[in-house]
Amino acid sequence: MKLSNDLSPTKPTVNDIARVAGVSLATVDRVLNARPGVRDVTIEKVHKAIAELGFVRDTAAANLARRRQYRLTFILPETDNEFVQALESEISAQFERLLHQRTRLDLRRVPPFDPQAMVQILDDLTAREADGVAIFGPETPSVRDAVNRAKERGIAVATLVSDLPSSSRDHFVGIDNVAAGRTAALLMGRFVSSSGRILIVTGSRLARDHLERRAGFDAVMDNRFSDLDVAATIEGRDDPERISALLPAVFEKHSNIVGIYSSAAGNGGLIEFLESQASARDVVVIAHELTATSRKALTTGTFDALISQDSGHIIRSAIRVLKSAADKLPIDPKQERIRIDVYLSENLPPQ
Amino acid sequence: MKLSNDLSPTKPTVNDIARVAGVSLATVDRVLNARPGVRDVTIEKVHKAIAELGFVRDTAAANLARRRQYRLTFILPETDNEFVQALESEISAQFERLLHQRTRLDLRRVPPFDPQAMVQILDDLTAREADGVAIFGPETPSVRDAVNRAKERGIAVATLVSDLPSSSRDHFVGIDNVAAGRTAALLMGRFVSSSGRILIVTGSRLARDHLERRAGFDAVMDNRFSDLDVAATIEGRDDPERISALLPAVFEKHSNIVGIYSSAAGNGGLIEFLESQASARDVVVIAHELTATSRKALTTGTFDALISQDSGHIIRSAIRVLKSAADKLPIDPKQERIRIDVYLSENLPPQ
DNA sequence: TTGAAAGCGATACCAG
DNA sequence: CTGGTATCGCTTTCAA
């Protein structure tokens, strides 16, 4: 580590380069920004001076001179799902702050699980009105193609929460959902004290995140906890009403349910059912996302653990990542890694 | 939410204020920076213009004009403890990046658990050589007083990992260690399958973080898992050799140890002992901090869970917090909250 | 192809 | 007390 200690190690500026290379400021700028109209020999001279001086451009000054404005668009599903609401509220929290940092955020909502609506907005977005776009939506070929078209128009694209790995998106902001499912399974296996059946409540078959969680969960269950049997699945479509309506039949059919893995949204319906059902008192329940509802369920003991991803981190990361992509600058992978958070009743954040 | 959509909402600048208030740029600057020598009526005029236009100063431009340099000093214990090493490596990772952002980092090391050495450095630090200092050290009255003196000299102070709540430090960057201990106990109680004794390996009685974890752990054990008995404690002083030397006697004395809570550093010694001891195969082990060593132990099954705090987040947060304190600007509490991470073998970050 | 000079939004020195 | 003006580090016309 070379944590130098010089008190005034004056960093080289464009002026220094111009002087050393024996050219004008304008030429230095042309080379720096790869603008045309400079002879190769001149380019060489400038590059040499840059290397020699160890010059790194001051982004703040550059953005000031350039009057750079970042315009970022978020496209989220229009739903009252608490996790999505949390994402929205993080976006508006950043809105104010970023206004004073040359960054303007725009939020669009599309009907959930509706690929066409997403495609529509994506296709209507021009590079003039957005430097980057972050989307949270279904994984379909049409969406993938729209993403690729947006990229070709010069718009940076990030996928949020649920990835579109087949597309040319710049970055995925979210967790490894297979690992999240595996983590849920591991906790389930260790928390359940007797053998029995496990019930899974999934979301939609169009959502890659839901599918991946399910796959991870099943894999660990099969390999490691053979005394537990994944016996039933409800496709809840993130809808609390639907979930609470479907649950009674499942519990009637299977007598020995010892665990429930709620891998998507709509936890309200699950909680309502569990709290009205004395026989479900000892069932181990593991769900996703820390929200007001799930937090309460964890506190009262209805839920045993939560697998989560930090909505604030996701939004801040998406913003940083899109800015970097727009400027073709590298990111700090460590800072942008979204953790698979595990919450128990004792490590909940304050409030 | 008012996510406006104007394409060019030209933010007001100091020039606009000067024009509207009918004064010069210099006067606007005086008022903006609360400099003396301006009549009250003039101040009023300027303030009115500022409010009217909704002006917010562009920090980047201000820092450019001011040639603002942030000088931040980190003081860490000089130890080969992996967690501290991770903090150091995060500091040097930021060093390069920040060099191009008008920020210079300086790292000083002091002998561990040595209050006087810390006091010395703190007292020698002048406001000219540091805008802020982040310290990770023991909690003693002498350190507390030195922190207060540094604050009085105009240096921003943040405590890292282990707090000094009685001092006038600006901010604590780390986790709630009582809650961390409680979380460890909850996992312990749910993972252990039979009744028996629990062994605790602590660090130092001078370290507030270790004491707090211990208190949290004991509280939950007592209240919630009465079939488990915290029967023995080793004061490991973060020293692997010492820990592996002390363990055999404890295991000889107590036959039915079913769980070990390693609440401090020095995990290497614990792992060495456990892996050489066939009888310890089924002991549930919960330790702190994700490091290369603990990661491996979690992967092989020697450890069952890890309670951790993200070293990258801690360093980045300390930097943001100290900068804000130096500028007397507010922070984003949500972004600065360090999470109590729970790691199981399935949710380890890649690599 | 190249250079001179005028900003970007704010600060600070020097007069008056 | 107040104003004019150079400057920070970089970009961007406009001419040459």
Side-chain angles (χ1 to χ4, degrees), chain B residues 264-308:
Chain B
N267 284 323
L270 173 58
I271 294 169
E272 187 190 321
F273 170 79
L274 288 171
E275 295 186 344
S276 70
Q277 197 73 9
S279 67
R281 210 41 59 82
D282 295 328
V283 175
V284 171
V285 183
I286 297 182
H288 273 267
E289 310 314 346
L290 178 61
T291 65
T293 301
S294 65
R295 180 186 185 107
K296 176 141 175 287
L298 197 57
T299 308
T300 60
T302 301
F303 282 1
D304 295 86
L306 245 30
I307 311 294
S308 193

Side-chain angles (χ1 to χ4, degrees), chain A residues 68-76 91 98 103-106 122 125 130-136 147 150-151 154-160 168-173 313-332 336:
Chain A
R68 179 81 160 100
Q69 279 266 34
Y70 294 91
R71 316 205 90 255
L72 308 180
T73 298
F74 282 83
I75 311 182
L76 300 187
I91 292 172
L98 292 179
T103 305
R104 306 190 67 81
L105 262 30
D106 184 16
L122 238 23
L125 213 58
D131 300 291
V133 59
I135 65 174
F136 177 14
V147 163
K151 277 296 300 169
I155 300 176
V157 182
T159 48
L160 246 42
S168 55
R169 90 281 185 280
D170 296 274
H171 190 84
F172 165 56
V173 184
H313 192 189
I314 288 178
I315 296 303
R316 287 187 299 267
S317 178
I319 292 167
R320 282 190 299 260
V321 159
L322 286 178
K323 282 188 180 182
S324 298
D327 288 343
K328 301 191 198 315
L329 254 31
I331 60 171
D332 174 349
E336 309 314 345

